Amino acid sequence: MRVKWFWFLFGRKKGALPADKPEDKAKDKSAEKPADKPQTRPAQEWRYGVAGNIAETHLDDQGILRYGSKAFSGGAKVYLCGKYWTKEQSMIGVIGLNRYKRVAFEDVPTELIENVRCTKVYKPSVLRLMNDWEFADHWWDDSAVAKEDTKRFVQMWNGK
């Protein structure tokens, strides 16, 4: 008896009227449907970039074995800010997922970056940081010239 009372109170849909019949709803849905228009997805934002990984282990100045860098764990994927970087600089700015699982911009010693490669950046959080950063022109864009620049940068990096 108690179960019937429970279903009576909570089993009904709110706002449903007795006049609403399933046949009427089916007619309304077919009337609302637009003529067969192809649905297009919005274009996904992206740009060319150079990615690398933080070294798993390295020895610091005192000979102590360290894992990753101060900001990033070993093996973390980072995007290099290298459009105007030169070989004489010992540090490079990177964007990546830090030890606290947040996307951050940090300066990292160049000897801690390995496996440098060209890539396309699709991650919205990384793109947001690239676009909103003070020096947004230091990142490559989505043009053919930027693609060639990233290839040249990777060749220069791997030839160091």
Side-chain angles (χ1 to χ4, degrees):
M1 189 68 166
R2 290 182 186 166
V3 176
K4 287 182 182 179
W5 179 250
F6 178 79
W7 285 112
F8 174 75
L9 288 177
F10 300 108
R12 293 184 295 159
K13 294 182 182 176
K14 291 186 179 181
L17 299 174
D20 293 338
K21 296 178 183 175
E23 303 89 39
D24 295 338
K25 290 182 182 179
K27 289 178 186 175
D28 291 341
K29 286 183 182 177
S30 62
E32 293 174 6
K33 197 173 194 180
D36 299 323
K37 291 184 181 177
Q39 294 181 355
T40 58
R41 298 176 115 186
Q44 187 174 10
E45 186 181 350
W46 62 274
R47 61 172 54 205
Y48 287 107
V50 175
N53 296 93
I54 301 294
E56 291 284 337
T57 59
H58 69 280
L59 295 175
D60 67 356
D61 298 337
Q62 291 83 25
I64 300 171
L65 183 67
R66 301 288 180 184
Y67 297 93
S69 70
K70 183 178 179 181
F72 301 103
S73 59
K77 181 179 181 179
V78 292
Y79 297 97
L80 281 62
C81 178
K83 192 171 182 182
Y84 301 115
W85 181 81
T86 60
K87 284 187 173 185
E88 291 79 33
Q89 297 171 336
S90 63
M91 302 283 276
I92 188 167
V94 298
I95 292 178
L97 203 63
N98 64 9
R99 290 183 182 269
Y100 305 105
K101 305 301 180 220
R102 295 180 188 250
V103 177
F105 179 86
E106 294 287 337
D107 288 329
V108 175
T110 56
E111 61 268 3
L112 296 184
I113 298 175
E114 57 189 17
N115 191 22
V116 176
R117 61 209 178 266
C118 296
T119 186
K120 288 183 179 179
V121 182
Y122 288 102
K123 276 191 166 182
S125 56
V126 174
L127 289 172
R128 195 175 315 114
L129 196 54
M130 286 179 177
N131 292 334
D132 294 342
W133 192 51
E134 181 179 356
F135 301 106
D137 61 328
H138 286 221
W139 302 96
W140 293 280
D141 55 8
D142 59 352
S143 66
V145 174
K147 182 178 182 179
E148 295 303 318
D149 286 346
T150 57
K151 287 181 181 178
R152 266 190 254 116
F153 178 82
V154 170
Q155 287 174 353
M156 178 184 69
W157 184 279
N158 291 333
K160 64 176 180 176

